Amino acid sequence: MPSLKDLRNRIASVKATQKITKAMQMVAAAKLRRAQLAAEAARPFAERIDRVLANLAAGIGPGDGAPPLIAGTGKDDVHLLIVATAERGLCGGFNSSIARLARDHVQSLLGQGKQVKIITVGKKGADILRRQFEDYIIESIELRDVKTLTFDVADRLGKKLIEAYEAGEFDVATLFYSQFRSVISQVPTAQRIIPAQLPERVNDGGLEAVYEYEPNEEEILESLLPRNVSVQVFRALLENAASEQGARMSAMDNATRNAGEMIKKQTLIYNRSRQAIITKELIEIISGAEAI
Amino acid sequence: MTTFHVELVSPEKLLFAGQAESATVPSVNGEMTILVGHSPLMAVLKPGVVTIRETQQGAGAQRLFVRGGFADVNPAGLTILAEYAIPVEEIDVVLVDSQIRDAEEDFRDAKTFDEKQKVSDKLVHLRDLRAAVRR
């Protein structure tokens, strides 16, 4: 039976924890709003580039002559996995669910006898994956110093990918991140970015537009495709940032509620034992008086 | 004169969306001005200034510096995609000048080829930016 002082201490410590989780929840809510705005601001560009690419690629077709970023290298041996997670924990199942998806993917690829390389973005994912796939991780990128996620950050990674691709270091690149649906729902997603997955061509004008190209079709496609890789990375990172804050918000909300419940339970126990002690003392006094 | 729809988007935000009478873009083969009813066109842009005029007289003209851009003209209007875009009036000349000096210094200090390449890329970008203001 814990003493009354123990109980009081316990309640005080849970209350302190609750204050922290409450504060974290509010900070996450504020950051979420900003992350969501950034993700929304990036959407028009990604949509337009998708549309332009779809139009262009439809003109060229998947046959020969298509650039390798669309057509692939013709091989399917070396897979590069880019796993984007958060820099910090305390956000529910956010990091582990992305890592789990990546892990399943790695295992199925290894089962098929493919070669696997992993690039991790964010510390948490690296920590989780390192335990199992230490040898496959070729690079770990940390975004800890990055305050606001600008396109440059994504562009650097994108350029690095293109370079490695052109050097023949991998055949297929897949990006793992968490798609932001709502505060309570983030969906871990695997998206193939090299060779590019092109959206269906949308016919928005009604009539087939005969495009003029300046300088020419191939050159445009050649400079547009690498950019598209960076754009996809950028979009994934933004989605991830919003998802992280959303996940943290709901995790901290849960934690705050649990702490509240625990405080209630502990207070009840505290009051009961306090009453029991008073009753015991009374009985002792009364029986003492009777004995005289 | 009729107007058409113009959009300028960078990965970070939508910089301009609205009706305009004409837009001048710096394509790789030289500047060109796009008016309403232009035939469908896809052009790579070189770093430079895009001018969007809401009326032909030049009223409501917007000048924006773009780098790594594309212009897509289709029946729905003109869409400019740019990797980097900033309104000319928002360029801080003093800051850019000091960045140019820093970059030039870095270039002299750079030892390996890779380093030099990186700095010179940055320098080219800054000089383009500076040139946009001078005009």
Side-chain angles (χ1 to χ4, degrees):
Chain A
M1 187 69 197
S3 74
L4 282 186
K5 189 166 190 306
D6 287 342
L7 282 172
R8 263 199 307 269
N9 282 345
R10 206 176 292 166
I11 291 170
S13 100
V14 177
K15 271 187 181 155
T17 311
Q18 191 189 29
K19 268 183 205 149
I20 295 171
T21 56
K22 189 91 195 253
M24 282 184 76
Q25 185 202 341
M26 284 189 301
V27 170
K31 281 189 177 165
L32 171 68
R33 201 162 323 127
R34 239 183 304 148
Q36 249 176 314
L37 284 181
E40 264 160 38
R43 217 161 280 159
F45 190 83
E47 269 166 24
R48 305 284 141 67
I49 206 166
D50 265 358
R51 202 169 62 203
V52 170
L53 266 181
N55 280 339
L56 270 175
I60 285 191
D64 349 299
L69 280 173
I70 290 185
T73 50
K75 281 182 298 184
D76 183 30
D77 298 335
V78 186
H79 283 248
L80 179 72
L81 277 62
I82 304 121
V83 185
T85 52
E87 287 297 340
R88 282 162 221 276
L90 290 179
C91 42
F94 174 76
N95 290 316
S96 49
S97 60
I98 297 174
R100 193 179 321 122
L101 184 70
R103 189 162 55 215
D104 293 347
H105 204 80
V106 171
Q107 259 148 5
S108 86
L109 284 174
L110 288 176
Q112 292 163 33
K114 312 269 194 226
Q115 208 181 326
V116 174
K117 289 178 179 176
I118 301 174
I119 293 181
T120 59
V121 181
K123 185 165 161 281
K124 285 290 158 187
D127 287 348
I128 299 171
L129 290 175
R130 193 169 293 137
R131 257 172 259 152
Q132 218 175 340
F133 304 117
E134 171 92 69
D135 305 340
Y136 301 114
I137 296 179
I138 52 169
E139 202 178 344
S140 294
I141 299 168
E142 288 202 11
L143 298 177
R144 179 143 284 196
D145 325 320
V146 179
K147 290 231 170 56
T148 46
L149 206 53
T150 56
F151 183 65
D152 281 343
V153 178
D155 199 33
R156 265 199 298 271
L157 178 58
K159 289 218 169 87
K160 211 179 284 177
L161 291 178
I162 303 280
E163 243 169 62
Y165 184 65
E166 277 166 358
E169 284 173 31
F170 62 89
D171 301 313
V172 179
T174 315
L175 190 58
F176 290 84
Y177 66 101
S178 194
Q179 211 162 31
F180 183 78
R181 285 274 163 76
S182 70
V183 178
I184 44 163
S185 150
Q186 299 89 27
V187 189
T189 312
Q191 187 193 358
R192 199 188 72 196
I193 51 170
I194 299 176
Q197 263 176 333
L198 293 172
E200 287 292 303
R201 182 177 191 166
V202 272
N203 209 336
D204 45 1
L207 70 194
E208 283 297 286
V210 182
Y211 267 88
E212 258 174 67
Y213 294 97
E214 199 179 316
N216 60 49
E217 226 164 327
E218 285 77 23
E219 247 170 79
I220 290 179
L221 207 50
E222 242 159 60
S223 60
L224 201 57
L225 282 170
R227 212 154 293 175
N228 185 43
V229 172
S230 301
V231 170
Q232 300 296 347
V233 172
F234 186 54
R235 176 154 70 175
L237 290 182
L238 286 175
E239 290 271 341
N240 233 10
S243 300
E244 180 197 343
Q245 299 306 341
R248 176 162 301 127
M249 208 175 113
S250 44
M252 286 303 118
D253 186 41
N254 268 341
T256 310
R257 216 163 332 146
N258 285 345
E261 251 165 54
M262 203 184 257
I263 291 172
K264 231 196 249 164
K265 235 186 265 166
Q266 294 287 343
T267 314
L268 194 67
I269 296 175
Y270 172 73
N271 285 338
R272 273 207 192 125
S273 36
R274 197 169 52 92
Q275 279 169 342
I277 290 173
I278 293 170
T279 316
K280 207 175 86 193
E281 262 174 35
L282 275 178
I283 290 170
E284 275 165 11
I285 293 170
I286 291 164
S287 44
E290 267 173 9
I292 298 172
Chain B
M1 210 74 181
T2 41
T3 57
F4 62 110
H5 191 69
V6 177
E7 275 176 357
L8 197 157
V9 283
S10 81
E12 273 147 40
K13 61 179 182 201
L14 185 69
L15 281 116
F16 181 89
Q19 296 293 319
E21 281 209 339
S22 78
T24 306
V25 297
S27 112
V28 280
N29 295 342
E31 284 210 337
M32 58 184 178
T33 299
I34 290 150
L35 297 171
V36 69
H38 197 287
S39 63
L41 168 84
M42 179 84 213
V44 179
L45 305 183
K46 61 184 179 192
V49 178
V50 170
T51 312
I52 301 166
R53 289 177 213 85
E54 278 160 32
T55 63
Q56 203 54 50
Q57 285 70 43
Q62 290 218 30
R63 286 157 50 81
L64 301 109
F65 174 81
V66 297
R67 177 171 58 94
F70 291 86
D72 174 25
V73 185
N74 53 39
L78 166 70
T79 307
I80 301 166
L81 301 170
E83 206 163 271
Y84 177 85
I86 181 173
V88 168
E89 63 258 34
E90 278 175 30
I91 301 175
D92 184 346
V93 183
V94 182
L95 183 72
V96 174
D97 276 342
S98 79
Q99 279 171 336
I100 288 178
R101 272 193 300 278
D102 286 350
E104 279 168 347
E105 223 164 82
D106 288 347
F107 186 71
R108 277 193 294 275
D109 294 343
K111 284 179 188 70
T112 62
F113 179 74
D114 273 0
E115 265 176 53
K116 271 204 193 290
Q117 187 102 32
K118 214 185 251 170
V119 179
S120 85
D121 281 353
K122 196 171 146 198
L123 200 55
V124 167
H125 166 57
L126 286 170
R127 284 192 179 137
D128 287 337
L129 202 61
R130 185 68 186 82
V133 188
R134 203 171 290 142
R135 239 180 287 161

